[in-house]
Amino acid sequence: MGPDPRASGHSSHPRRTLACEPLPDQLAEPIAEYLQAIAEPHRLALLGALAGGEASVQELADRVGIPYHNTSHHLILLRQAGILSRRKLGKANVYAIKDWSAWWVVGQIAGWMCEDEPDSPASSG
């Protein structure tokens, strides 16, 4: 399990309140589903590959190094979560990031984890 940003003791992470606090019960399930959509290593890799721009399923399969069928399955799940968009280009399905907040969340978590790494660029400075 990754580090708890609240327990890091870093002054660069002041306590931030939620837009709606306390968290309404009706938001807990959708938030958990959204996080589950990105909480898988191949899906994170696909988001990273798409951060540079749209790509076809075959291009993404080649970049990430997983079979076409598996790539397609992960992309469908990310699209169903509202994170990706899809369009047809000839016979190919081309995907792009629609909701950049998912990539922002990944970046925040990566930043917290890098702070705890003694040799990381984020911890030097």
Side-chain angles (χ1 to χ4, degrees), residues 4 18 46 66 88 102 107 119:
D4 181 348
L18 298 172
L46 289 166
I66 58 176
K88 282 286 207 185
D119 296 329

Side-chain angles (χ1 to χ4, degrees), residues 36-105:
Q36 286 173 347
I38 61 174
E40 201 284 333
H42 289 127
R43 288 183 220 137
L44 290 173
L46 289 166
L47 278 175
L50 286 167
E54 68 179 18
S56 71
V57 179
Q58 188 61 60
E59 289 170 328
L60 291 166
D62 293 342
R63 287 183 203 169
V64 176
I66 58 176
Y68 180 94
H69 178 75
N70 292 359
T71 301
S72 181
H73 172 73
H74 289 300
L75 293 169
I76 288 168
L77 292 175
L78 289 167
R79 183 171 166 260
Q80 288 173 342
I83 296 167
L84 300 183
S85 64
R86 180 187 72 196
R87 68 181 181 92
K88 282 286 207 185
L89 184 62
K91 292 184 179 184
N93 285 313
V94 176
Y95 286 84
I97 296 178
K98 174 183 173 183
D99 180 0
W100 284 89
S101 63
W103 190 238
W104 180 86
V105 167

Side-chain angles (χ1 to χ4, degrees), residues 6 14-27 31:
R6 297 165 299 169
R15 183 180 184 283
R16 293 184 179 99
T17 58
L18 298 172
C20 46
E21 200 168 308
L23 183 65
D25 291 341
Q26 68 269 23
L27 288 181
I31 290 170

